[in-house]
Amino acid sequence: MIGKLKGTVEEVMQDHIILDVCGIGYLVYTTQQIISNLVLGTNAEFYTEQHITENSVKLYGLQSKEDIKVLKVLIKAKGVNYKTAITLIDKL
């Protein structure tokens, strides 16, 4: 499991970023609020939650351990997936 990433913001997209960590570009899904505050070429640090399904492996990144705990609680609720949980955290 990947618990934390620290690196340089290489790309910023609508719902994710690419974080360069020692030459490896990690695609990290995060909140709109976090994305809007990131600047290309600057350093960023994310606590992560890895979600593995039959068809994909995704990393969800937030800026505190507490936010990751909230994410884990939200996804346990019926009908709440990771994308919905990230949106809810963004609104909090």
Side-chain angles (χ1 to χ4, degrees):
M1 294 296 276
I2 299 169
K4 181 178 155 186
L5 292 172
K6 187 176 189 179
T8 305
V9 178
E10 191 171 283
E11 287 185 38
V12 178
M13 306 302 281
Q14 185 175 352
D15 64 347
H16 66 275
I17 66 155
I18 295 182
L19 190 69
D20 183 302
V21 180
C22 298
I24 299 172
Y26 289 93
L27 194 151
V28 181
Y29 291 91
T30 190
T31 67
Q32 291 296 313
Q33 184 177 12
I34 291 172
I35 287 172
S36 68
N37 290 324
L38 292 174
V39 178
L40 290 176
T42 60
N43 289 333
E45 183 174 12
F46 292 91
Y47 290 92
T48 61
E49 173 71 10
Q50 190 172 9
H51 178 62
I52 301 170
T53 66
E54 185 176 307
N55 299 323
S56 69
V57 176
K58 291 185 178 181
L59 277 176
Y60 293 88
L62 298 168
Q63 293 184 319
S64 73
K65 290 179 185 180
E66 291 76 24
D67 287 343
I68 289 295
K69 288 179 186 178
V70 171
L71 177 70
K72 289 178 180 183
V73 168
L74 287 172
I75 60 169
K76 290 180 183 178
K78 185 176 181 179
V80 177
N81 59 23
Y82 280 89
K83 187 174 182 175
T84 304
I86 288 288
T87 301
L88 290 170
I89 290 170
D90 198 23
K91 302 297 180 194
L92 296 175

